[in-house]
Amino acid sequence: MTEATNVHNWAPIVTWSKAESERSGTPLLLMLHGYGADEADLFSLAQTLPEEFTVASLRGPERTGPGYSWFPLRSDVSYAVENVKSATAAVTAWLDTVRGQHSSVTLLGFSQGMCMATSLARHRPHDYAAVVGLSGFVVDAGTEGNGFFYDAELAADQLPVFWGRDQADPVIPAEAVEYTATWLRTHSKLTKILYTGIWHGINAQEMAHVKEFLSMTVLKG
């Protein structure tokens, strides 16, 4: 089964922090897990975020090892920018079924989930209040993203983006980090913080910074 077929047949599985009766009018924060994980992986972080948010943690469409992914790794022969676009379109379609209940939508992605979060913002630049990227990257779409990613509009919007990482992260390739740093500086209102000793992970200090970032950017009004 191909990636495109999996996305086409995808039935989203979501874990919510609030009951449906408590979500109306609240800001939504969508969590996007990393490669080989699932919707439970990041969900415990919900308790560290401002209580005003309804948190939805979404499962990726592609079965991968012990968990799931959003698309194949760049090192995989089956990888293509089209995979990223297909996954982005599928998540956007699901978000369109719930966003009307909420005052805003914010994206939080870890590792490959950060690629998804930034891809969602590139696809529909005006739909999101902020993006949080943890130990992740932005996809280099080249000309293949034309007509799907609206980077110029995103740059004009200056969407607030938080990017936290450890310079000793052993997972994200150096060229992906370099591309991401350049892209975020020119396409977003960037808050970048480096951490020591978290490697390819997340710690309490980083989540405290994320909470402050969300309070100042999404909840300030």
Side-chain angles (χ1 to χ4, degrees), residues 33-35 69-73 110-117 136-137:
H33 62 75
Y35 186 86
S69 63
W70 304 100
F71 52 86
L73 293 175
F110 172 75
S111 194
Q112 191 184 71
M114 178 180 171
C115 178
M116 280 301 301
F137 62 102

Side-chain angles (χ1 to χ4, degrees), residues 176-198:
V177 172
E178 183 177 352
Y179 177 84
T180 299
T182 300
W183 192 93
L184 288 174
R185 282 196 297 267
T186 55
H187 290 87
S188 70
K189 184 178 180 181
L190 178 62
T191 299
K192 176 186 175 183
I193 303 181
L194 296 175
Y195 301 90
T196 301
I198 67 170

Side-chain angles (χ1 to χ4, degrees), residues 37-60:
D38 62 22
E39 71 281 4
D41 187 57
L42 299 176
F43 192 67
S44 64
L45 300 178
Q47 62 188 346
T48 71
L49 302 176
E51 61 183 11
E52 291 90 339
F53 282 94
T54 292
V55 176
S57 191
L58 187 62
R59 177 187 293 183

